[in-house]
Amino acid sequence: MTFELPKLPYAYDALSPYMSAETLEYHHDKHHKAYVDKGNELAEKAGMGGKSLEEVVVASFKDKSQQALFNNAGQHWNHIHFWNWMAPKGGGRKMPGTLEKSITESFGDFDTFRGKFIEAGMTQFGSGWAWLVLGPNGKLEIMKTPNGENPLAHGKTAILGADVWEHSYYIDYRNARQKYLEAFVDNLVNWEHVAEMFEKGPLKVAA
Ligand code: MN3
């Protein structure tokens, strides 16, 4: 397949004031577009043009000579979902019941989940991502990864991810990553979409 830059699922100013139009213009139109363009070029060169995006992510992670392809394909996957993991008037603890039940069973309560997710983003040194993933026994787990790495590369299924690269928050929050992560959980998360990914269950990727 050819990687394509998806349209944002909302207007550029729809997440304001928690994420500005300026941030989304740069993040989507420049950063994500660059991953798509470079990813297509490298996938073609690697002879992986016929694979699905998920297959390219898994195969290029295993083959260390394809690190550059992995970086771009991984980031393409991450950002496709990142745009959908946010919505206007999102965030907070109002979410579909099955997901709420699983968060409570996995972490004890919502506030513990919130604290652990934010902590993962805060302790990811440098660029990377904080994740909520489906664990092996149906429980939910928190993960963090550097750069373009994602749970998919490790055989896990992400149902929520927060981009903690500086390009995701520096315009709106400068160096205050904590404030950005708090706003992400409290005001931006599209819990409906997280619940949809939760209901779908583990991703199966042949590579
Ligand atoms: Mn990004």
Side-chain angles (χ1 to χ4, degrees), residues 59-168:
S60 62
F61 186 68
K62 280 187 190 151
D63 179 352
K64 291 303 164 201
S65 74
Q66 296 297 340
Q67 178 75 49
L69 172 57
F70 172 74
N71 291 339
N72 287 282
Q75 283 289 70
H76 180 39
W77 191 93
N78 297 345
H79 286 83
I80 288 172
H81 294 283
F82 184 59
W83 310 132
N84 286 291
W85 279 322
M86 298 186 289
K89 298 190 172 67
R93 60 188 67 209
K94 249 192 91 188
M95 63 182 74
T98 48
L99 176 63
E100 186 178 25
K101 186 164 172 277
S102 184
I103 285 183
T104 306
E105 282 173 5
S106 304
F107 300 102
D109 54 44
F110 179 84
D111 287 334
T112 304
F113 152 74
R114 180 185 180 279
K116 287 187 170 178
F117 185 81
I118 291 171
E119 187 191 8
M122 287 304 293
T123 54
Q124 172 51 47
F125 186 74
S127 298
W129 293 77
W131 304 99
L132 177 62
V133 303
L134 289 175
N137 45 11
K139 287 229 170 176
L140 297 171
E141 296 170 358
I142 302 291
M143 243 181 112
K144 60 185 172 184
T145 56
N147 303 315
E149 230 175 275
N150 56 29
L152 183 57
H154 298 278
K156 297 193 173 182
T157 302
I159 61 168
L160 176 66
D163 187 342
V164 298
W165 286 55
E166 285 184 347
H167 65 225
S168 195

Side-chain angles (χ1 to χ4, degrees), residues 15-27:
L15 304 183
S16 176
Y18 306 108
M19 189 174 282
S20 65
E22 190 184 356
T23 290
L24 284 168
E25 281 161 12
Y26 273 88
H27 200 172

